[in-house]
Each structure stands twice: as C-alpha cells, then as structure tokens.
C-alpha cells in the first residue's frame, strides 16, 4: 500500500519533470518556428508583409516644417546685426503616399525602383496656411555670388539686384519658400541658362528620387533592404574616400533579429550621405516592444572628436581647419549652392556657430533623430528624422545687399521633422501576427517550466516523506 502511494507520488514527480523539460524544449522549437515565419515574411518579394509595406508605407508619413522668422530685419540689413530668429510652425505635409515606381526584380535577388517625391499640405495639422509669410534670408542673393565668383559678373549682379530691389532678407509665403518662386533678381539676369526659380526644396513635387537597387533578402536575410546602388553607383560623388559609400538601408526597415549592440546604418538622399544610429533605450509603442536607435552627436562631430568624419570636412575656413562640429557642408550635392545641414537649433554644434544668430534653443529630446525598430522583424514602426537647413552667408563689398554683413556665418532657414508611427489598425495586425504569438509562446514555455518544476519538487519531496513513514 505504502509502495503504491509512493509510486504514485514518484509518477507525478516524473510528470512534473517532463512538463518542465517540455517547457525547456519549447524554447528552441518555438524559436525555430518564429525564425522560420519571420524569414518567410521579412523577405522583400511579392506576397510577403515586408513587400506590402515596402511598396507603399503602411502608415502615413508627415513632414513638419518650422521656419525661422527674422524679428529685426531692418537692423540686420542696415547695421549687420545678428538676426533674431523665432520659429514659426509647424506647417505639415503628407509625403510618400504613392507606391514606388518602375519596380524591377533582378536575377541576383535584388530589386530596383524609383521613389516618387510627392507632398500634400495638411491644413488641420498646421499652425496656419501656406500663404502665411515669413522673413528670411534671400536665397538667390546669397547663393549667386558663390556660384559666380568673377568680379565683373558680380558687378552686374549688384546692378540687377538693385534694379529688382532685392535685399539680403526677403519676405515670402511658406509655399514659395519651400517649393519655389520666380525670383525678381534672377529674372533680371539675361542669361537663358540661369534658372529663374528658387526655393529651399525646388524642384521637389512630382519628381523622382533614385534609382535605388536593394537586396531582397531572399538569399541572405542579413542584407534585406540594404542599398546596393543609388543612381547606379555604390558611391555618391560628393565626398572623398569611404565617406562617399552608400551604406545600409533607407531606414524604413532593417534585417530581422536586431540586437542592441548593433550600429544601424542607413542612407539619406536629403543629406547626400550615409549615417548611423546607436541603441538608446527600450520603448513600448501601441503595446509593441521596440528598440530606440538614435543618431549620436559623433555623427556630425568634427574630426577632432570623431576622426572618421575627416572626409566630411570640405571647407577648412568655415570649420576652422576642421575643428568645429555639428555642421555638414552639402554644397557639392546642391549644385554649388552654400547649403549646410545641422540638427535643429544647432543641436550638438560648436558654440562658434551661435555667435552670429540669436533665438536658437537646442533641446535633445525635441530635436534628436530616432528610429524605433521592432527587433524581431527589423521593421521601423515609429521614427522622427529631424534636420535643419541653413545657408552660408559671406560678406561681399562688391554687392550692396551683402556689404553690411560683418562676418561669414551659417543662417538657419528652417528645420523639419519627418515622422511616422504605426497606425492603430496596422498595430492590431502586427500584434496578432507577431507580438501576441511570441508572448503566448514565451508564456507557455515559462508556465510549463514553472508548473512542471513545482510538481516535480512537491511530489518528489512527498515521495521521500512517504518512504520515511512507511512501516519496516
């Protein structure tokens, strides 16, 4: 009788051990099926989730603009005083809502395509209308002397500027400043080859970016989404050495099974270069666990702080012999126009850039660029790309509109926040297909191991106690 009771207890202990072992076995088995599913759906080919979200983003993408309005224009133009800036915005546009064009699948498991550049004003998400006006630097007046350095040509420029009543600063509507306007000074220039239109993003709407050629990930999932060529080249012509390489993805997605120790690399045609992001923190977005990667200060740092940036230093005068950081000269990418890129409000820029402008207030949380990546699939489900566009201003005694400027300086025009977050509908689908299944699997694994271990220990101890009480 005692033996039967003890045998029953031992049987239950064995059952508990089996449950615990089963829970442990489910870990590699479950991981295998998770990886198999992810590998199938993460490849960029027709019929997969990755392909659907690649052709056209599953969540709306918006670009918000804050434009710097000069508060003391007369003092700036007459006395060369530092412009006092006040940001005005946001003015919000929806973008990338059209599918990629000319998609071609190649035999080497790559795809090529063009990305349409398309924008649509969103008045309900904006502080005002596109007809709101701002006072800012005169794009044509500042850029023309840089593009045409001949003293004789500049003398004629001075005449044309005076004739058109063009000054160092101008007042334009938001729409004109962003997307283009017919400039009165440029209209005076008799040369037919000189474009008469100018704007921060002119030309943009209804144009195409690319072609891009990317890896589908079919033969090697670690390459999924990585750009093989941009404009049919592995490099861009704007930089020397390794700085010219096109590295990483377009940041919309990365390879599956991203880990925190990785450096995520991506290419942005907006800044004409590849850049990188490092892990910062774990985030929960719509009940989906994500890894937040942030572009660090070192990405725009001077070569003194980050020697890898030495080939991004192109103007030793403006950068004080490559010792100043936080500013990227992309003039070679903008047909010679003196355009400089920084983080908003000169975040992480050297203090020297703050000397000749007032009103900037950099804030890490508000002005940093981040990507919230779902680590299992590699999809970017939430991001904020923040950049500031500036124009380099130089004194020029030959041109009346520029003669009162006392020192060269970088003039902030606007900063933008390109952002998207997974929609509620897409989040529900993602949770049901990925997150909830993994949570259920993990819960089942843990429950089996805990319950099995408890049963094993309880009944094993009980069997020993039963043995001690049995009659001799």
């Amino acid at each position: 009788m005692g033996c039967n009771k003890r045998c029953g207890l031992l049987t239950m202990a064995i059952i508990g051990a089996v449950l615990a072992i089963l829970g442990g076995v489910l870990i590699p088995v479950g991981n295998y099926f998770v990886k198999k599913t992810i590998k199938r759906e993460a490849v960029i080919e027709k019929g997969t989730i990755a392909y659907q979200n690649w052709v056209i983003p599953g969540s709306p993408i918006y670009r918000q603009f804050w434009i710097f309005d000069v508060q003391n224009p007369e003092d700036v133009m007459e006395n060369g005083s530092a412009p006092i800036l006040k940001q005005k915005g946001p003015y919000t546009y929806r973008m990338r809502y059209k599918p990629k064009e000319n998609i071609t699948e190649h035999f080497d498991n790559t795809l090529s395509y063009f990305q349409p550049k398309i924008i649509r004003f969103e008045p309900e998400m904006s502080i005002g209308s596109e007809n709101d006006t701002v006072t800012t630097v005169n794009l044509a007046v500042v850029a023309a002397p840089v593009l045409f350095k001949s003293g004789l040509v500049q003398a004629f420029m001075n005449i044309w500027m005076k004739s058109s009543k063009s000054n160092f600063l101008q007042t334009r509507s938001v729409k004109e400043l962003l997307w283009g306007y017919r400039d009165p000074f440029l209209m005076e220039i008799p040369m037919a080859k000189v474009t008469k239109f100018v704007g921060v993003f002119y030309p943009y709407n209804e144009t195409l970016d690319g072609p891009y050629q990317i890896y589908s990930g079919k033969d090697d999932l670690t390459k999924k989404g990585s750009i093989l060529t941009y404009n049919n080249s592995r490099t861009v012509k704007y930089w020397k050495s390794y700085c010219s390489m096109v590295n990483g993805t377009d940041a919309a997605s990365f390879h599956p099974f991203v880990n925190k120790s990785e450096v995520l690399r991506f290419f942005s045609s907006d800044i004409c270069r590849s850049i990188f992001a490092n892990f910062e923190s774990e985030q929960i977005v719509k009940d989906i666990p994500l890894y937040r990667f942030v572009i660090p200060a070192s990405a725009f740092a001077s070569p003194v702080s980050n020697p890898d940036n030495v080939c991004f230093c192109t103007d030793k005068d403006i950068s004080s012999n490559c010792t100043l950081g936080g500013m990227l000269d992309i003039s070679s990418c903008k047909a010679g126009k003196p355009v400089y890129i920084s983080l908003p409000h000169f975040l992480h820029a050297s203090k020297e850039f703050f000397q000749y402008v007032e009103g900037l207030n950099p804030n890490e949380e508000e002005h940093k660029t981040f990507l919230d990546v779902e680590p299992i699939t590699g999809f970017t489900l939430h991001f904020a790309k923040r950049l500031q566009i500036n124009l380099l201003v130089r004194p020029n005694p030959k041109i009346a509109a520029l003669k009162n400027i006392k020192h060269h300086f970088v003039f902030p025009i606007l900063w933008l926040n390109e952002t998207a977050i997974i929609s509620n509908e897409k989040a529900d689908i993602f949770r049901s297909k990925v997150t909830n299944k993994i949570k259920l699997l993990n819960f089942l694994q843990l429950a089996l191991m805990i319950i099995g271990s408890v049963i094993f220990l309880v009944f094993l101890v009980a069997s020993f106690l039963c043995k001690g009480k049995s009659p001799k």
Side-chain angles (χ1 to χ4, degrees), residues 59-260:
S59 301
I61 299 174
Y62 297 100
R63 184 173 279 193
Q64 301 170 302
F65 294 98
W66 282 264
I67 301 171
F68 291 107
D69 189 36
V70 179
Q71 304 298 293
N72 58 335
E74 292 80 9
D75 199 20
V76 171
M77 291 188 288
E78 294 175 9
N79 305 315
S81 300
I84 300 172
L85 306 176
K86 182 179 180 181
Q87 70 175 29
K88 193 174 181 179
Y91 295 92
T92 304
Y93 295 79
R94 186 170 179 185
M95 59 186 304
R96 291 211 291 276
Y97 53 86
K98 286 189 175 182
K100 292 177 172 63
E101 296 185 7
N102 296 347
I103 298 173
T104 305
E105 297 182 20
H106 302 283
F107 68 92
D108 58 350
N109 295 314
T110 64
L111 305 96
S112 59
Y113 65 95
F114 285 88
Q115 176 67 60
K117 290 183 177 179
I118 184 76
I119 52 94
R120 185 181 70 204
F121 185 60
E122 299 287 344
E124 71 280 0
M125 301 175 69
S126 304
I127 197 174
S129 79
E130 288 185 292
N131 295 322
D132 288 356
T133 58
V134 290
T135 299
T136 185
V137 63
N138 192 315
L139 307 178
V141 166
V142 170
V146 178
L147 299 174
F148 303 96
K149 294 181 171 60
S150 164
L152 178 61
V153 173
Q154 291 191 7
F156 279 110
M157 282 185 187
N158 189 42
I159 295 172
W160 296 327
M161 287 179 192
K162 287 181 177 178
S163 174
S164 62
K165 299 181 180 179
S166 297
N167 297 309
F168 172 49
L169 300 180
Q170 64 173 345
T171 298
R172 288 282 167 190
S173 72
V174 169
K175 185 176 182 179
E176 287 176 324
L177 181 66
L178 292 177
W179 313 117
Y181 57 92
R182 193 184 297 269
D183 186 84
F185 154 55
L186 297 178
M187 291 294 294
E188 293 284 330
I189 300 177
M191 293 177 283
K193 290 184 179 180
V194 176
T195 179
K196 309 304 179 184
F197 286 86
V198 65
V200 176
F201 296 100
Y202 176 83
Y204 186 92
N205 210 16
E206 303 292 347
T207 62
L208 295 172
D209 184 22
Y212 290 85
Q213 186 173 358
I214 66 166
Y215 291 101
S216 69
K218 189 172 183 179
D219 60 338
D220 185 353
L221 209 51
T222 63
K223 292 183 178 180
K224 191 264 290 187
S226 294
I227 300 169
L228 175 61
T229 62
Y230 173 68
N231 282 335
N232 302 311
S233 176
R234 281 288 301 124
T235 59
V236 290
K237 60 185 178 181
Y238 317 119
W239 319 104
K240 295 179 180 179
S241 185
Y242 53 84
C243 287
S244 67
M245 295 180 66
V246 177
N247 295 320
T249 72
D250 64 355
S253 69
F254 298 89
H255 63 80
F257 311 111
V258 172
N259 64 66
K260 298 176 183 179

Side-chain angles (χ1 to χ4, degrees), residues 442-453:
N442 290 338
F443 174 78
L444 184 60
Q445 293 167 351
L446 186 61
L448 284 174
M449 286 190 291
I450 292 174
I451 293 170
S453 298

Side-chain angles (χ1 to χ4, degrees), residues 223-445:
K223 292 183 178 180
K224 191 264 290 187
S226 294
I227 300 169
L228 175 61
T229 62
Y230 173 68
N231 282 335
N232 302 311
S233 176
R234 281 288 301 124
T235 59
V236 290
K237 60 185 178 181
Y238 317 119
W239 319 104
K240 295 179 180 179
S241 185
Y242 53 84
C243 287
S244 67
M245 295 180 66
V246 177
N247 295 320
T249 72
D250 64 355
S253 69
F254 298 89
H255 63 80
F257 311 111
V258 172
N259 64 66
K260 298 176 183 179
S261 62
E262 287 187 73
V263 176
L264 297 186
R265 302 186 184 279
F266 53 96
F267 174 78
S268 172
S269 60
D270 288 329
I271 60 174
C272 314
R273 62 166 281 192
S274 297
I275 202 163
F276 61 93
N278 297 329
F279 175 79
E280 182 199 61
S281 60
E282 294 184 7
Q283 301 287 321
I284 301 292
V285 174
K286 299 188 178 179
D287 204 31
I288 303 172
L290 306 175
Y291 289 173
R292 173 162 292 183
F293 286 81
V294 174
I295 293 181
S298 59
F300 290 107
S302 74
V304 175
S305 302
N306 182 4
D308 289 342
N309 285 346
V310 65
C311 43
F312 288 121
C313 180
T314 57
D315 191 323
K316 294 189 176 182
D317 180 31
I318 302 304
S319 65
S320 295
N321 201 27
C322 299
T323 61
L324 302 183
M327 206 68 60
L328 180 68
D329 175 10
I330 63 168
S331 55
S332 60
C333 176
K334 300 299 179 183
K337 298 168 188 146
V339 180
Y340 278 66
I341 294 293
S342 68
L343 293 178
H345 286 253
F346 291 169
L347 176 67
H348 302 317
S350 299
K351 63 180 184 302
E352 285 82 355
F353 292 112
F354 291 85
Q355 292 181 10
Y356 304 101
V357 293
E358 298 180 21
L360 299 183
N361 298 290
N363 178 286
E364 176 76 28
E365 196 58 34
E366 185 179 355
H367 299 141
K368 69 183 178 183
T369 289
F370 68 81
L371 308 167
D372 287 346
V373 180
E374 200 287 310
I376 296 172
T377 60
F379 295 155
T380 302
L381 302 186
H382 180 210
F383 72 87
K385 181 176 77 175
R386 292 154 175 166
L387 295 170
Q388 183 166 298
I389 297 175
N390 315 279
L391 209 59
L392 177 65
V393 175
R394 292 182 182 271
N396 193 321
K398 297 178 182 177
I399 295 178
L402 302 175
K403 70 178 183 179
N404 290 333
I405 297 169
K406 297 175 182 177
H407 193 277
H408 66 253
F409 69 100
V410 177
F411 195 117
I413 301 173
L414 60 85
W415 71 272
L416 63 89
N417 176 27
E418 185 178 311
T419 185
I421 187 169
I422 186 171
S423 65
N424 292 334
E425 180 185 359
K426 293 285 184 180
D428 289 339
I429 296 172
F430 192 91
R431 285 194 300 268
S432 66
K433 289 190 174 184
V434 180
T435 310
N436 292 345
K437 288 183 179 179
I438 293 171
K439 282 182 178 180
L440 179 61
L441 182 62
N442 290 338
F443 174 78
L444 184 60
Q445 293 167 351

